[in-house]
């Protein structure tokens, strides 16, 4: 064992050797957190602790497996197999099965997954004769989950004025009744849901002190990984288990607490010293992952958080390159510049694509990068999620588009005939398929005229089918009258999809709304680009043709092919890459617009960027745009406040923007792009002449251009005119842009200024 200890640095070794009381190990990014946990377990065994009395709690099965494998290498597989090691939920489900009778369950109780829980809630809402459009299953499920993780029973819920008022304000005053019925029905079915595994463990320990005493004495030492991510229920369980002997160690980093939306409470780690007066704190401050520059840049950012445990993370690796800054004219150019930089770095260093990661704040941002990657032939993968065009809400909308373009598209029809719900169930769809086959016609013909085709359904169902067909026919008629973008807006609105996605205010539905808006942005950009290139009649079929090319995957592609990773920052926690691009660093995006009125939420957003930067081992790039398509129009963007908070000495400032700045007023920060900004950034403004160029042509300067003139385009940036042709409204210019290559612009639609 002594040989193992010699592999630790001084701070790691001190954390491993201390076993006399509560220990909090603050593990900075890349500081060897897992090594400390595994070595500590091995050390405890060496000191005489029986392995089956050591409890180690993690948040993922992957982390538990990795830890157990490392321990096995040190103490042997047989010894390691006797440890109580696993996720909170797996460990406490094991205890609940042993003690089930205490709670009125059998040891063979069922564990409901999310779909089971939502199905039961849907039945209860129906039995209560409540409006399922108000009492959305997802929203009710979220409220119940939140209550359980806060250890709030149905009776507690009923007495909690703020919860009751919130339900009344949301138009769902009977949520508490549903919660009570849900708990009773689960108990009747001998079932526990995922949250019950923590909630019922607390009930078990609260109501049966003899059981608590037995387990608290049985577990001679307790270790908890990622303590900053614990919720209230988890925090209380740990506290109860160690209340008598205080022999435990928690490891985490308050600077990486980014999961409050899942119920994590950063206060659990911040208040550790106050809660356990006999505790000791160990700080792992040496970062083994990143260059000195990346570590110092990240430190200068996180230092702005007030609510934190102070530490000085450092690196003894090479100094490395400065943090690169990419300022694009638009989100389109951001995708081009980022993918271009990846291609350049790969050519220069001959590293595999797997050394690159693009991190974004929201899943919807992946679209631009996916499309640019496919154009360049750069392989990529979406980590922890689906490719943009494979996400359900996107496929649903695309299916509407497909059916409008081609009503004979039976797969599209089957997908959306009952989405949003319109009372056309699977039985009816089966009858439509059979009727179409019998009569030798398409499903669309049966739906459009059920009587002529002798469809065997009742009159009520016939009316629903005809109403659906009339809806699609109205879209088909409009397709020849309005632009692809306007038609898309009409379909999303009149089909009920927009109302459906705004029916729940959960994180899941927020992501769906963002993805839908990004799809509409893509159609708007597509339409605008085609108009600028001289195509004045852009149809929906043109967009669908483009999308089908972008999403056509090679069937024989092998998984081992090296790929660029695209993921949200939340998904990136715990991972590392040689080269990291953090994109979309603009106000109202990163930090999120939902955090603007909460200093606490802004601090979590800052921690999120800290996590993103510290994923990088060698090179880190931060990008933002001057304009971004939102809500169907181009909006001006301001760089994220966080860019101003990183010490400029660690940034590679673009030469064109390193303007000498005069002395700034107090509390103003210097921009990484050479301009001053105030503490509170101004709100974004829409760019004029974007949503309807034909009505705003007069707002742009006359285009008295000559070959060789330099222009600045709203989305493509700066470029040089290399040729001109045509006259009047037909005048076109071919422009060589700095980053996006050559583009032909129909000048009456083009949005640019002459330099």
């Amino acid at each position: 064992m002594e040989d193992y200890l010699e592999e630790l640095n001084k701070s790691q070794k001190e954390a491993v050797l201390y076993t006399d009381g509560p220990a909090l190990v603050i593990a900075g990014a890349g500081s060897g957190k897992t090594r400390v946990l595994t070595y500590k377990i091995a050390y405890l065994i060496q000191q005489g602790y029986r392995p089956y009395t050591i409890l180690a709690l993690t948040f993922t099965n992957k982390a538990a497996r990795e830890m157990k494998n490392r321990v096995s290498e040190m103490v042997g597989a047989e010894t390691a197999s006797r440890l109580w090691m696993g996720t909170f939920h797996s460990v406490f489900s094991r205890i609940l099965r042993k003690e089930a009778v205490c709670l009125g369950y059998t040891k063979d109780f069922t564990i409901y997954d999310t779909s089971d829980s939502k199905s039961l809630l849907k039945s209860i809402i129906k039995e209560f004769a409540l409006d399922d459009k108000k009492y959305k299953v997802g929203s009710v499920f979220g409220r119940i989950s939140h209550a359980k993780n806060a250890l709030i029973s149905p009776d507690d819920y009923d007495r909690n004025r703020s919860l009751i008022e919130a339900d009344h304000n949301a138009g769902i005053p009977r949520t508490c009744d549903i919660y009570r019925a849900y708990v009773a029905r689960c108990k009747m079915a001998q079932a526990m849901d995922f949250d019950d595994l923590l909630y019922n463990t607390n009930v078990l320990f609260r109501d049966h002190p003899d059981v608590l005493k037995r387990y608290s004495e049985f577990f001679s030492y307790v270790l908890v990984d990622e303590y900053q991510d614990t919720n209230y229920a988890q925090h209380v369980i740990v506290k109860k288990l160690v209340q008598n002997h205080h022999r435990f160690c928690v490891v985490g980093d308050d600077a990486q607490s980014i999961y409050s939306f899942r119920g994590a409470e950063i206060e659990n780690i911040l208040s550790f010293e106050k809660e356990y007066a006999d505790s000791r704190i160990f700080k792992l401050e040496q970062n083994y992952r990143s260059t000195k520059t990346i570590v110092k840049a990240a430190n200068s950012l996180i230092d702005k958080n007030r609510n934190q445990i102070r530490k000085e993370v450092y690196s003894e690796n090479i100094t490395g390159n400065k943090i690169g800054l990419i300022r694009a004219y638009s989100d389109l150019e951001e995708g081009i510049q980022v993918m271009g930089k990846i291609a350049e770095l790969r050519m220069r260093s001959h590293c595999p694509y797997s050394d690159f990661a693009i991190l974004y704040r929201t899943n919807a941002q992946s679209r631009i990068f996916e499309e640019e990657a496919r154009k360049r032939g750069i392989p990529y993968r979406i980590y922890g999620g689906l490719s943009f065009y494979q996400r359900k809400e996107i496929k649903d909308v695309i299916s509407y588009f497909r059916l409008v373009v081609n009503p004979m598209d039976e797969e599209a029809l089957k997908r959306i005939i009952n989405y949003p719900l319109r009372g056309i169930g699977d039985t009816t769809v089966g009858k439509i398929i059979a009727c179409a086959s019998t009569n030798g016609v398409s499903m669309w013909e049966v739906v459009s005229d059920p009587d002529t085709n002798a469809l065997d359904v009742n009159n009520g169902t016939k009316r629903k089918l005809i109403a659906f067909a009339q809806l699609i026919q109205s879209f088909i008629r409009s397709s020849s009258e309005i632009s692809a973008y306007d038609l898309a807006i009409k379909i999303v609105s009149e089909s009920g999809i927009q109302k459906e996605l705004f029916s729940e205010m959960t994180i899941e539905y927020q992501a769906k709304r963002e993805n839908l808006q990004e799809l509409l942005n893509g159609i708007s950009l597509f339409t605008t680009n085609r108009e600028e290139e001289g195509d004045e009649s852009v149809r929906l079929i043109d967009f669908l043709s483009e999308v089908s090319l972008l999403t056509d995957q090679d069937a024989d592609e092998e998984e081992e092919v090296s790929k660029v990773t695209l993921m949200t920052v939340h998904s990136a926690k715990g991972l590392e890459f040689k080269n990291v691009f953090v994109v979309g660093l603009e106000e109202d995006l990163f930090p999120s617009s939902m955090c603007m009125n909460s200093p606490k939420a802004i601090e979590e957003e800052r921690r999120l960027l800290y996590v993103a930067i510290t994923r990088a081992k060698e090179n880190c790039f931060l990008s933002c745009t001057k304009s971004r398509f939102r809500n169907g129009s181009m909006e001006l963007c301001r760089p994220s406040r966080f860019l101003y908070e990183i010490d400029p000495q660690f940034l590679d400032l673009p030469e064109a923007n390193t303007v000498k700045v005069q002395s700034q007023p107090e509390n103003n920060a210097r921009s990484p792009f050479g301009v001053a900004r105030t503490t509170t950034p101004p709100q974004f403004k829409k760019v004029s002449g974007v949503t309807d160029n034909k009505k705003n042509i007069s707002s742009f300067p006359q285009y008295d251009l000559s070959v060789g003139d330099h222009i600045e385009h709203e989305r493509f940036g700066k470029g040089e005119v290399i040729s001109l042709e045509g006259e009047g409204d037909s005048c076109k210019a071919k422009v060589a842009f700095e980053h996006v290559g050559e583009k032909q612009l129909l000048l009456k639609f083009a949005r640019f200024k002459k330099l």
Side-chain angles (χ1 to χ4, degrees), residues 186-201:
C186 284
K187 186 70 172 291
M188 186 181 300
Q190 287 290 296
M192 296 187 195
D193 65 19
F194 210 55
D195 297 315
D196 283 330
L197 299 178
L198 300 179
Y199 180 88
N200 284 339
T201 299

Side-chain angles (χ1 to χ4, degrees), residues 168-181:
H168 274 276
N169 293 337
I172 48 175
R174 295 200 63 189
T175 299
C176 184
D177 296 332
I178 297 171
Y179 181 17
R180 194 184 305 279

Side-chain angles (χ1 to χ4, degrees), residues 350-364:
H350 305 289
C351 58
Y353 283 119
S354 56
D355 281 348
F356 297 89
I358 300 173
L359 310 183
Y360 33 76
R361 180 63 182 82
T362 66
N363 274 308

Side-chain angles (χ1 to χ4, degrees), residues 61-313:
N61 289 310
K62 179 183 176 183
R65 285 194 301 270
E66 181 184 355
M67 204 180 301
K68 183 164 286 188
N69 288 339
R70 292 198 191 184
V71 174
S72 296
E73 293 173 1
M74 300 171 70
V75 302
E78 183 180 351
T79 300
S81 67
R82 296 159 65 196
L83 294 164
W84 276 68
M85 181 182 290
T87 65
F88 276 89
H89 293 89
S90 66
V91 167
F92 294 116
S93 65
R94 183 177 168 186
I95 290 176
L96 287 171
R97 290 205 185 278
K98 285 179 176 289
E99 312 297 338
V101 66
C102 296
L103 298 174
Y105 285 84
T106 68
K107 65 181 179 62
D108 299 320
F109 64 81
T110 299
I111 297 177
Y112 277 174
D113 62 15
T114 300
S115 61
D116 295 324
S117 297
K118 288 186 174 181
S119 178
L120 175 55
L121 285 170
K122 185 176 181 180
S123 298
I124 293 171
I125 290 168
K126 185 176 182 179
E127 290 165 14
F128 281 16
L130 298 171
D131 185 350
D132 60 5
K133 291 183 175 60
K134 291 182 178 178
Y135 288 85
K136 302 293 290 186
V137 170
S139 295
V140 175
F141 178 72
R143 277 170 152 79
I144 292 174
S145 177
H146 176 79
K148 287 184 178 180
N149 284 323
L151 301 183
I152 297 173
S153 68
D155 288 342
D156 295 331
Y157 197 110
D158 205 16
R159 290 190 291 265
N160 191 309
R161 181 175 297 179
S162 63
L163 290 175
I164 298 301
E165 286 181 358
D167 290 342
H168 274 276
N169 293 337
I172 48 175
R174 295 200 63 189
T175 299
C176 184
D177 296 332
I178 297 171
Y179 181 17
R180 194 184 305 279
Y182 174 73
V183 169
R185 292 280 284 276
C186 284
K187 186 70 172 291
M188 186 181 300
Q190 287 290 296
M192 296 187 195
D193 65 19
F194 210 55
D195 297 315
D196 283 330
L197 299 178
L198 300 179
Y199 180 88
N200 284 339
T201 299
N202 274 289
V203 172
L204 175 69
F205 289 164
R206 180 197 67 196
D207 296 348
H208 299 274
D210 57 320
V211 175
L212 172 59
K213 183 175 185 293
R214 180 157 28 97
Y215 281 99
S216 63
E217 290 177 352
F218 176 75
F219 293 126
S220 57
Y221 204 93
V222 177
L223 303 99
V224 184
D225 190 17
E226 303 287 11
Y227 195 66
Q228 78 280 350
D229 294 335
T230 53
N231 60 30
Y232 181 67
Q234 291 162 328
H235 170 71
V236 172
I237 290 173
V238 173
K239 186 175 181 179
K240 287 178 177 178
L241 285 174
V242 303
Q243 63 186 9
N244 293 325
H245 58 67
H246 278 199
R247 290 189 300 272
F248 72 112
C249 174
V250 302
V251 181
D253 183 7
D254 57 293
Q256 298 185 66
S257 178
I258 59 174
Y259 295 124
S260 65
F261 66 93
R262 295 180 186 169
E265 296 188 359
I266 191 174
E267 289 76 15
N268 292 344
I269 195 168
L270 294 178
S271 62
F272 189 88
E273 278 188 286
K274 292 181 180 178
E275 192 154 8
Y276 300 98
D278 57 337
S279 64
R280 281 190 57 183
I281 291 188
F282 301 89
K283 297 180 181 180
L284 308 184
E285 297 173 306
Q286 183 174 354
N287 181 304
Y288 290 92
R289 175 188 301 149
S290 308
T291 63
K292 286 185 173 73
T293 298
I294 290 172
V295 169
K296 289 178 179 178
N299 286 348
S300 69
L301 171 71
I302 203 63
D303 185 61
K304 308 303 186 297
N305 270 10
R306 294 182 179 181
N307 204 21
Q308 65 170 297
I309 297 172
R310 297 287 172 181
K311 58 183 176 298
E312 292 296 327
V313 179

Side-chain angles (χ1 to χ4, degrees), residues 495-690:
S495 67
I497 291 176
Q498 181 172 317
K499 183 179 179 181
E500 166 73 13
L501 295 186
F502 275 87
S503 64
E504 296 187 27
M505 293 297 114
T506 61
I507 295 293
E508 177 188 1
Y509 270 67
Q510 172 68 20
K512 290 177 182 289
R513 291 191 292 274
E514 290 170 350
N515 289 336
L516 175 60
Q517 186 57 61
E518 184 61 24
L519 174 66
L520 296 176
N521 290 343
I523 298 172
S524 183
L525 274 168
F526 178 82
T527 303
T528 304
N529 289 344
R530 285 294 183 93
E531 287 180 343
E532 281 197 324
E533 292 167 2
D535 187 347
E536 297 187 39
S537 178
V538 186
R539 300 173 301 157
L540 203 53
I541 183 60
D542 300 322
F543 176 75
L544 288 176
S545 298
E546 182 93 351
V547 168
S548 66
L549 291 174
L550 288 170
T551 58
D552 182 24
Q553 302 292 320
D554 296 326
D556 58 353
E557 186 177 49
E558 296 181 352
E559 280 301 313
E560 59 264 24
V561 172
S562 178
K563 300 177 182 179
V564 175
T565 298
L566 277 64
M567 62 169 67
T568 63
V569 182
H570 283 102
S571 297
K573 187 169 176 289
L575 303 177
E576 59 183 39
F577 302 88
K578 280 188 179 180
N579 308 290
V580 169
F581 292 79
V582 189
V583 299
L585 280 162
E586 298 134 33
E587 289 292 302
D588 281 351
L589 182 55
F590 200 167
S592 167
S593 59
M594 295 186 291
C595 302
M596 292 308 179
N597 297 322
S598 169
K600 183 177 179 181
I602 288 293
E603 291 211 346
E604 179 156 334
E605 291 285 297
R606 189 177 287 111
R607 293 194 295 270
L608 193 59
L609 180 55
Y610 175 83
V611 167
I613 293 172
T614 55
R615 298 311 93 196
K617 297 166 70 175
E618 296 180 6
N619 293 295
C620 182
F621 299 87
L622 310 177
S623 76
C624 64
T625 68
K626 291 182 178 180
S627 59
R628 186 175 293 274
F629 253 83
R630 288 176 174 166
N631 303 315
S633 63
M634 190 72 82
E635 295 183 3
L636 288 178
C637 302
R638 291 296 303 269
S640 168
R641 67 189 70 193
F642 300 147
L643 288 171
Y644 301 89
E645 296 175 352
I646 300 173
D647 192 326
Q649 68 175 306
F650 306 121
L651 301 175
D652 185 11
L653 300 173
E655 287 185 16
N657 294 307
T658 52
V659 181
K660 185 175 180 181
V661 181
Q662 303 299 321
S663 58
Q664 304 300 330
E666 188 176 358
N667 294 329
N668 275 18
R670 176 173 174 174
S671 162
F673 303 102
V675 294
R677 55 148 283 197
T678 57
T679 303
T680 305
Q683 296 296 310
F684 300 159
K685 297 178 181 178
K686 289 186 178 180
V687 178
S688 62
V690 173

